[in-house]
Amino acid sequence: MTDDPVQFPRRYSRLQDVEIVTLLTATISWGRRPMIIRDAEKILKSMGEHPYNYVMRGDFSAWSQQNVHRTFFATDLVYYMRGLRHIYEGYQDLNSFFRSHGAAHAWDVAALLHENFCAANGCSDSQCIPVGHAHSALKRLNMALRWMVRNDGIVDMGLWDFITPAQLYIPLDVHVINTARQYSLLTRRSIDRKAAEELTAVLRLLRPEDPVYYDYALFGLGV
């Protein structure tokens, strides 16, 4: 698991630390894996032993205009951490926050994060949540939800219960979508919400209680 970004949240035991590291790691999980691993290490080193404590202190002055990961800059990272702090000021953990707002899937989660992150940053915007998130495939957020909701005893940790594995959607990237088309599991060509819903609906026919179970096989074959 040394080349998988899920290694980072698995380093922590306190729920809030795991939540923060899961979301931040998933957010920068695009591009080459060695670069993702390197940049996640850089973020976590700056946050110290307990990311939750770092976020709640609210002193992010050490981050300047430097590049964090590809087109994700220090301003984006600070935006994200201010947003998380805003939520934690009102809720013990993100699981409680999402449950209290009746989040039922990734697009609800994205809308809630966007609303609270915006409020915490003077209603400015950032690429932390995709523009037009209601129509995006939300690959990275669906991956974070997979890590936190499923529990396979190997990769996924099963620490959130505001939704069940049956409510998850496939983290849709170019590898998964190409494999799904190759095996006639998907007809849509765009990598968007409709494609994620279409493919997940097919996978639910095979495994209604856990459609994202097939993510590993689709991604692996695509790679």
Side-chain angles (χ1 to χ4, degrees), residues 166-214:
Q167 293 169 274
L168 294 174
Y169 284 82
I170 198 81
L172 200 61
D173 64 10
V174 65
H175 303 296
V176 170
I177 205 167
N178 286 342
T179 305
R181 290 192 190 116
Q182 179 183 346
Y183 288 95
S184 301
L185 300 173
L186 178 67
T187 58
R188 190 169 179 80
R189 301 199 65 82
S190 300
I191 303 180
D192 57 11
R193 176 175 180 169
K194 288 184 178 179
E197 290 175 334
E198 179 186 332
L199 178 55
T200 304
V202 172
L203 299 178
R204 283 199 178 106
L205 296 175
L206 303 174
R207 201 178 182 98
E209 76 285 1
D210 188 15
V212 180
Y213 170 84
Y214 297 101

Side-chain angles (χ1 to χ4, degrees), residues 60-81:
F60 312 125
S61 57
W63 289 97
S64 60
Q65 293 294 322
Q66 63 185 290
N67 173 262
V68 176
H69 176 74
R70 301 189 73 181
T71 59
F72 189 84
F73 289 88
T75 51
D76 300 305
L77 179 61
V78 171
Y79 179 98
Y80 212 120
M81 291 189 288

Side-chain angles (χ1 to χ4, degrees), residues 28-150:
I28 67 164
S29 288
W30 86 95
R32 294 175 57 249
R33 280 201 174 189
M35 185 182 295
I36 296 169
I37 302 301
R38 180 199 68 194
D39 294 340
E41 289 279 14
K42 177 172 61 178
I43 293 173
L44 296 187
K45 183 178 179 180
S46 75
M47 300 176 83
E49 187 176 356
H50 295 293
Y52 175 75
N53 294 350
Y54 176 83
V55 166
M56 297 310 292
R57 282 196 298 271
D59 179 10
F60 312 125
S61 57
W63 289 97
S64 60
Q65 293 294 322
Q66 63 185 290
N67 173 262
V68 176
H69 176 74
R70 301 189 73 181
T71 59
F72 189 84
F73 289 88
T75 51
D76 300 305
L77 179 61
V78 171
Y79 179 98
Y80 212 120
M81 291 189 288
R82 284 177 180 157
L84 290 173
R85 183 171 183 262
H86 177 73
I87 295 173
Y88 283 121
E89 286 175 337
Y91 295 85
Q92 181 177 356
D93 51 58
L94 296 182
N95 189 48
S96 302
F97 168 69
F98 294 132
R99 186 192 300 116
S100 72
H101 286 79
H105 46 60
W107 294 275
D108 285 345
V109 170
L112 287 166
L113 290 177
H114 182 269
E115 177 184 351
N116 282 268
F117 286 12
C118 182
N121 288 276
C123 287
S124 63
D125 216 336
S126 168
Q127 66 162 327
C128 297
I129 305 296
V131 174
H133 55 266
H135 305 289
S136 168
L138 295 180
K139 177 256 183 179
R140 287 169 282 169
L141 185 53
N142 275 312
M143 182 175 69
L145 288 173
R146 194 202 77 196
W147 291 350
M148 292 298 291
V149 173
R150 292 186 77 250

